[in-house]
Amino acid sequence: MKNGLLQGTLDVLVLKALAWGPRHGYAVAGWIRETTDEELSVEDGALYTALHRMEKRKWLESDWGLSENNRRAKYYRLTDTGRAQLRQQSRDWTTYAEAVFKVLRARESGPAAAEAKA
Amino acid sequence: MSGGGSWLPDELRRVFRIGIAGGDADREVDQELEYHFERTVEDLQRGGMSESDARQEARRRFGDERQYRRELRRLARGRDRWSRLGEAAEAWSRATRDAVRGLARTPAQSLAVVAVLTLGVEANAAVFGILDTVFLRPPAHIQGADRVRRIFVTRTGYNGRTVTEQTHAYPDYMDWQPLDVFSEVAEYTELTLTVGHGDEAERRPAELTSANFFPLLGVRPELGRFYGPEDDRFGAPGTVVLGHAYWQERFAGDSAVLGRYLDIGDATYAIVGVAPPGFTGVDLERIDLWLPMHPAGEVEGGGTEWAESRGWYWFNGVARLAPRVTDVQAEAAATTAHRVGRSDNPNYDPEARVELGSLIAAKSAGASREAKVVPWLMGVALMVLLLACANVANLLLARAIRRRRETAVRLALGVSRKRLIGTALAESGLLALAGGLAAVLLVFWTGNLVRSFLLPGVAWGERVTT
């Protein structure tokens, strides 16, 4: 586990960050930090690598634009494929997380518990 | 790591749309990260940090900068190359389509250009074929031709003039035959003989050779066999090998021809084989009949005297150098043997020398006048090509001038210079391609005709020199 992040989850975080429209790399990093209340920290280098990799896979498109303070920044936005990926990976993640959650929240009960006591 | 052909100057790359050697991609990555660091430091400073602390924190947050930067550059360049290739391919196809349309609009002029180019290239191709055959290549079907030599004798004759001759007497050949410097020495002589009788009689070019002529050259018969040592003796039954073209013409390529008899001159010979197509011995003229020297020589030479007399300068010699023997060594040995052989004749030049010449006739002392002319022919053909190019350049220039207005309009409409240049190049390229192809086709069909016209002695028909 790198920086408190399960491997492979960085991609879905970035995809989600771009769900509302194009953003540049700095904004993506900032959004992730804010939204998780700084619980998840990502090495910025890893973040940019993820952005470039996903662009290569055609999940993202990039364009150079002017940022809020009139400086040149590289903006990323989701492609149709990227949007489909986001949907899929969100579903998978949610299913996975709920399953783990169920196990961790379980109380002793049911036939397994009866056996243990006996 | 960088784009292909990174040695090309950037300007050229831009015209041909080849990926700029990694420069653009790298720069983009740098700019992206520069923005990131600027913003990070600014925000941290606004939060109360000092600039140096902010920078440090920014770097810490980023991670191993060198490694990440390298990875990012690698990714960017890879993407770059593919997209540029795609762009380039698209640009090329667009340029070609434009070019075809442009040329089709002025069909007469386009055809004229192609015709001029075709003639220029065709002339060169035809003449080069001649050059190749006469100067550059050994005669057909000879193995290891670089070790085969013609034998010349240089001597001062009875009239005081020094000459280099390719012909010598048969006993001279006997002097050279046992020498170690040669792995094989053979004799041949060319004659025109009458085949058949009365109305059907025809005169055909023939060559009389020693039996080892064929093994020396390494040639294999197309059909049947060549005559061997047992056929090349006085009193042996006459045998003949047909030239390939003659076999096709007179016997329609019938393989049942073996064993039939031909009346040649005053004797009858059994056909034992057919030579491969294009085989003309050591020279380039067509040969229809190959005959063993002794039996045929007895008939045509009126007896056997020629085999012993030093006065019958009938014969040409060809020798294969033994392995690792140099020309100098071979010439020395042959000269000594020759002088010794001739020593019983006080009138014969004691300084007579044996010289070994190239198998390619045009390169040795035996070169004919026509052969010597060939390099000049090549020069003329090149001039023709240059003229053709000048002509074409003129035509294209006139064309460009006529299209000035069209070009101005296109530029005004915003078509990039690059694209216009691309179209112009494509047009020229297409014309050149068309001219070249047409020339190749033309040479294929008519090349041999042209060559027969320029150099009639050579058996062009059978040689494959497109």
Side-chain angles (χ1 to χ4, degrees):
Chain A
M1 292 238 288
K2 196 175 179 188
N3 296 328
L5 210 64
L6 283 172
Q7 268 193 320
T9 59
L10 181 52
D11 284 1
V12 72
L13 296 178
V14 170
L15 287 172
K16 184 70 179 183
L18 296 172
W20 291 278
R23 283 198 160 115
H24 53 62
Y26 185 73
V28 170
W31 184 84
I32 293 178
R33 214 172 324 127
E34 270 176 32
T35 316
T36 64
D37 291 324
E38 312 239 352
E39 287 291 339
L40 289 180
S41 63
V42 183
E43 262 186 358
D44 294 332
L47 180 86
Y48 279 97
T49 309
L51 282 166
H52 278 240
R53 253 191 304 106
M54 286 192 280
E55 189 188 352
K56 195 161 184 176
R57 280 191 231 146
K58 305 239 189 284
W59 294 356
L60 307 176
E61 273 173 345
S62 73
D63 230 323
W64 281 91
L66 285 180
S67 69
E68 310 84 64
N69 35 23
N70 279 328
R71 269 177 290 183
R72 248 170 77 90
K74 196 170 182 191
Y75 283 82
Y76 295 86
R77 69 169 161 278
L78 290 176
T79 61
D80 290 339
T81 321
R83 227 168 262 284
Q85 275 294 321
L86 174 57
R87 274 197 301 274
Q88 180 64 45
Q89 289 195 24
S90 303
R91 262 203 302 272
D92 293 345
W93 237 104
T94 316
T95 314
Y96 173 75
E98 280 174 357
V100 172
F101 205 53
K102 279 189 212 164
V103 170
L104 293 178
R105 281 282 173 94
R107 293 176 175 283
E108 278 197 283
S109 65
E115 239 188 81
K117 275 198 173 137
Chain B
M1 279 271 262
S2 53
S6 49
W7 44 267
L8 282 177
D10 270 351
E11 289 314 310
L12 218 57
R13 292 167 141 269
R14 261 184 268 273
V15 170
F16 288 103
R17 296 177 157 270
I18 305 168
I20 309 272
D24 266 3
D26 284 359
R27 224 172 306 132
E28 284 202 357
V29 168
D30 289 344
Q31 276 182 342
E32 191 179 7
L33 296 184
E34 192 187 310
Y35 178 78
H36 172 89
F37 278 114
E38 266 181 22
R39 287 293 305 268
T40 314
V41 166
E42 273 172 14
D43 285 353
L44 288 173
Q45 277 186 293
R46 226 175 294 136
M49 272 197 201
S50 70
E51 193 184 327
S52 56
D53 283 345
R55 284 200 196 282
Q56 211 170 11
E57 173 65 12
R59 264 197 292 277
R60 189 195 66 84
R61 284 195 189 171
F62 194 81
D64 185 341
E65 192 186 322
R66 258 188 59 205
Q67 196 177 341
Y68 277 125
R69 202 180 277 267
R70 197 167 43 215
E71 175 72 11
L72 289 171
R73 281 186 180 181
R74 198 183 58 80
L75 282 167
R77 280 190 200 156
R79 224 180 29 240
D80 205 40
R81 199 175 314 144
W82 276 118
S83 75
R84 287 202 191 261
L85 260 158
E87 264 181 40
E90 209 210 311
W92 275 107
S93 85
R94 219 182 320 136
T96 314
R97 264 179 286 133
D98 284 348
V100 171
R101 269 200 304 259
L103 290 175
R105 271 200 291 267
T106 59
Q109 190 195 45
S110 309
L111 277 168
V113 171
V114 173
V116 171
L117 281 174
T118 304
L119 286 174
V121 174
E122 199 248 347
N124 274 278
V127 175
F128 182 76
I130 298 180
L131 190 75
D132 188 42
T133 302
V134 174
F135 263 92
L136 300 177
R137 278 205 218 193
H141 296 285
I142 298 180
Q143 309 292 327
D146 57 307
R147 297 294 289 171
V148 181
R149 298 284 183 271
R150 295 168 184 269
I151 301 177
F152 296 91
V153 178
T154 304
R155 62 191 178 89
T156 309
Y158 305 116
N159 52 11
R161 281 171 51 215
T162 307
V163 286
T164 301
E165 290 177 332
Q166 206 185 346
T167 50
H168 45 262
Y170 196 78
D172 294 318
Y173 161 63
M174 305 291 281
D175 293 332
W176 296 316
Q177 227 207 0
L179 293 176
D180 284 333
V181 290
F182 298 128
S183 59
E184 195 76 67
V185 189
E187 294 291 287
Y188 66 96
T189 187
E190 217 213 308
L191 295 173
T192 311
L193 300 176
T194 310
V195 183
H197 299 288
D199 287 339
E200 292 176 351
E202 36 175 13
R203 305 271 290 162
R204 303 268 73 177
E207 198 150 292
L208 272 58
T209 76
S210 53
N212 60 353
F213 183 73
F214 305 104
L216 186 157
L217 295 178
V219 60
R220 329 210 94 207
E222 173 90 351
L223 200 66
R225 64 177 180 90
F226 291 117
Y227 40 85
E230 63 291 348
D231 302 305
D232 188 24
R233 284 177 299 111
F234 286 128
T239 46
V240 62
V241 172
L242 301 176
H244 196 266
Y246 187 57
W247 176 53
Q248 297 286 355
E249 286 162 21
R250 176 159 167 162
F251 299 94
D254 181 13
S255 38
V257 75
L258 297 182
R260 289 184 27 193
Y261 288 86
L262 272 186
D263 287 328
I264 308 176
D266 290 327
T268 306
Y269 301 81
I271 302 175
V272 296
V274 175
F279 181 62
T280 53
V282 151
D283 295 312
L284 298 174
E285 290 85 16
R286 179 174 147 156
I287 302 289
D288 288 341
L289 303 160
W290 300 89
L291 298 158
M293 188 157 278
H294 284 82
E298 188 176 359
V299 173
E300 300 302 322
T304 64
E305 198 191 332
W306 55 265
E308 280 136 51
S309 164
R310 295 250 179 201
W312 292 53
Y313 288 83
W314 244 26
F315 303 92
N316 297 300
V318 62
R320 183 179 284 278
L321 293 174
R324 287 180 302 279
V325 167
T326 66
D327 284 63
V328 175
Q329 291 171 325
E331 280 176 356
T335 301
T336 308
H338 182 68
R339 287 181 187 170
V340 165
R342 288 273 180 169
S343 57
D344 55 352
N345 179 358
N347 291 329
Y348 192 81
D349 179 13
E351 303 287 304
R353 247 187 8 257
V354 172
E355 286 175 5
L356 296 175
S358 163
L359 193 56
I360 298 172
K363 284 192 185 164
S364 65
S368 65
R369 259 199 312 271
E370 292 97 346
K372 294 206 175 119
V373 150
V374 170
W376 294 98
L377 265 180
M378 196 72 219
V380 168
L382 278 171
M383 295 264 84
V384 168
L385 186 63
L386 282 174
L387 279 172
C389 289
N391 245 320
V392 166
N394 259 325
L395 284 169
L396 290 179
L397 185 61
R399 177 195 177 83
I401 291 179
R402 233 177 296 131
R403 295 168 82 187
R404 250 181 332 187
R405 202 162 15 144
E406 178 195 331
T407 312
V409 167
R410 291 181 87 189
L411 278 173
L413 282 176
V415 176
S416 70
R417 265 205 176 75
K418 258 187 273 178
R419 185 151 160 209
L420 285 176
I421 294 177
T423 310
L425 279 174
E427 280 184 11
S428 308
L430 276 175
L431 287 172
L433 205 66
L437 280 171
V440 167
L441 283 172
L442 207 61
V443 166
F444 215 68
W445 287 330
T446 67
N448 278 334
L449 253 104
V450 171
R451 291 183 210 121
S452 313
F453 176 70
L454 288 170
L455 265 192
V458 177
W460 291 111
E462 297 181 317
R463 287 186 72 95
V464 187
T465 37
T466 298

